[in-house]
Amino acid sequence: MRRLTVTKRTLHFKQPAGTSRGIYTTRTSWFLKMTSDEEPQREGLGECAPLPDLSCDASPEYEQTLNALCRIYETKQSIDYDLMRPYPSMLFGMETVEKSFDNGGTTIFDTPFTRGEEGIPINGLVWMGSFEEMMGRLEEKMQAGFACVKLKIGAIDFNQELELIRHIRKHFGKDSIELRVDANGGFTPDNAAERLEQLAKYDIHSIEQPIKQRQWNEMAKLCRETPLPIALDEELIGVNAKDMKAQLLDFIKPQYIILKPSLHGGMHGTEEWIRLAGERGIGSWITSALESNVGLNAVAQLAAHIYGPGISMPQGLGTGQLFTDNLPMPLEIRKDRLWRTR
């Protein structure tokens, strides 16, 4: 008989993490541990990490709901995917703890990545801040050897952000540094087209979520007329039914989608999104959602399972050094790749 216990824990950022929705200084996660009466020495570990004001399953009753779903799992001894579709962060934690238990530790999928034979290319992340702060963070990433850098924009004056991008392109061409930007919905339908035109001058790989989600007509128009590829992120949150996923992709027709398992349906929902996108010629990649190393380990293994071996598209998995009190996992960044250590 498999049993689940829930432990709440607050993690602390080394430095404030700024987005257009606000600044994070702490991060709350609920950790699941699976044990069994039949195998007392065996355990599994998973993480449920909703983002306040963003996750569709974040609520004041989060812990009570999670405990109720754990009791249902204990009764059925399996995951009820239909029941858990509305709770992606809880589903991701449940999938992780079950696979961790089944495989007897931190390995969730058997891939060249988990065997330590190859690393996953990742982008360097430059958080929002003042012009000087962002410039300093950018230079750190370039000195560390990142070939792909993602800039969070929308917190300071847009002209200053353009100046930062001009600075990068003045010293590094598109063949040496791939630039991605994430607006987190910070533009408006009125100014987005003009700003995309300005950004396109600097060989930007893609822009994430230029306007706020749930504006399908405006987003579809942007994707149709954009001078640079648009990637949907927040737009996918709460779209949990398979038919609705297909309708969104068919209507908006983005160039890319970006999947965070904690936000976009767990492992099951993420694979569903990627399969539907691939059928429509839409690209994708996977990123973490500020989980601890427990969640990051699972997200990275899922990316290696879906896209590997030999992943060439940089993934958003460089978040393992964000917290002062992170949990240990066999993960290590070497230059611009994430590796599993044995």
Side-chain angles (χ1 to χ4, degrees):
M1 180 77 170
R2 297 182 180 191
R3 303 188 186 281
L4 288 166
T5 57
V6 180
T7 303
K8 182 179 179 180
R9 180 166 176 171
T10 299
L11 303 172
H12 300 82
F13 284 92
K14 292 179 180 178
Q15 59 185 29
T19 76
S20 61
R21 290 181 300 272
I23 297 175
Y24 294 108
T25 57
T26 60
R27 178 78 163 96
T28 301
S29 287
W30 284 261
F31 292 91
L32 303 181
K33 184 167 79 170
M34 181 175 286
T35 56
S36 170
D37 299 334
E38 290 77 28
E39 300 176 270
Q41 303 304 314
R42 197 172 184 182
E43 291 184 353
L45 183 63
E47 179 180 7
C48 305
L51 283 168
D53 303 319
L54 190 59
S55 297
C56 66
D57 54 355
S59 74
E61 298 80 31
Y62 187 90
E63 190 165 339
Q64 295 94 311
T65 302
L66 178 58
N67 275 298
L69 290 168
C70 286
R71 302 295 78 78
I72 292 170
Y73 180 93
E74 289 176 343
T75 300
K76 295 187 172 186
Q77 292 291 290
S78 63
I79 296 173
D80 186 331
Y81 282 95
D82 288 335
L83 177 68
M84 295 197 70
R85 271 189 186 269
Y87 310 104
S89 67
M90 300 183 204
L91 175 56
F92 180 57
M94 195 80 76
E95 290 170 315
T96 302
V97 72
E98 185 179 64
K99 290 181 182 296
S100 169
F101 182 87
D102 288 342
N103 289 286
T106 61
T107 297
I108 296 171
F109 296 102
D110 181 22
T111 66
F113 169 70
T114 56
R115 296 193 295 270
E117 296 167 4
E118 65 180 34
I120 300 174
I122 62 175
N123 62 256
L125 180 59
V126 175
W127 288 101
M128 289 181 178
S130 68
F131 180 87
E132 291 75 17
E133 287 171 336
M134 292 182 73
M135 186 71 79
R137 293 166 188 166
L138 170 67
E139 290 174 353
E140 287 176 6
K141 296 300 180 186
M142 290 192 290
Q143 288 173 7
F146 282 91
C148 175
V149 175
K150 171 179 164 180
L151 303 176
K152 291 273 191 179
I153 63 175
I156 60 177
D157 179 75
F158 182 66
N159 289 325
Q160 284 190 292
E161 290 168 338
L162 278 180
E163 180 57 37
L164 183 67
I165 293 169
R166 272 194 292 269
H167 171 80
I168 301 170
R169 281 292 176 246
K170 182 179 178 181
H171 296 90
F172 299 93
K174 66 178 181 178
D175 292 333
S176 56
I177 290 286
E178 178 180 286
L179 279 181
R180 300 174 179 175
V181 296
D182 184 1
N184 285 127
F187 300 165
T188 69
D190 291 334
N191 66 25
E194 180 184 356
R195 291 187 172 186
L196 293 180
E197 290 285 352
Q198 291 175 282
L199 288 166
K201 299 173 184 176
Y202 301 103
D203 296 311
I204 304 296
H205 171 272
S206 57
I207 180 168
E208 296 181 32
Q209 201 68 42
I211 61 175
K212 285 184 170 57
Q213 63 266 44
R214 306 298 176 262
Q215 301 179 86
W216 283 23
N217 288 322
E218 293 83 354
M219 187 68 85
K221 185 174 187 292
L222 280 177
C223 289
R224 189 167 57 247
E225 300 174 356
T226 183
L228 72 160
I230 290 175
L232 301 187
D233 181 355
E234 289 92 339
E235 196 72 64
L236 313 180
I237 297 171
V239 182
N240 298 315
K242 182 179 179 181
D243 288 348
M244 191 173 179
K245 292 177 182 180
Q247 288 175 24
L248 182 151
L249 296 174
D250 288 337
F251 187 86
I252 298 180
K253 294 182 172 63
Q255 285 75 36
Y256 294 103
I257 59 172
I258 302 169
L259 286 311
K260 296 179 172 70
S262 290
L263 296 177
H264 300 134
M267 297 183 189
H268 180 80
T270 294
E271 291 191 85
E272 192 171 72
W273 271 117
I274 291 172
R275 184 170 61 254
L276 289 168
E279 291 169 357
R280 290 158 174 79
I282 297 169
S284 65
W285 65 88
I286 290 176
T287 81
S288 60
L290 307 182
E291 298 94 348
S292 78
N293 278 335
V294 174
L296 176 61
N297 175 60
V299 175
Q301 291 193 47
L302 178 64
H305 170 69
I306 292 175
Y307 297 124
I311 298 175
S312 58
M313 171 82 79
Q315 310 291 300
L317 305 173
T319 56
Q321 300 169 328
L322 291 178
F323 304 107
T324 61
D325 43 6
N326 212 334
L327 282 74
M329 275 285 153
L331 299 172
E332 180 180 273
I333 295 177
R334 303 176 203 159
K335 291 188 66 177
D336 63 346
R337 287 181 178 262
L338 181 69
W339 290 82
R340 279 259 300 182
T341 56
R342 304 293 288 174

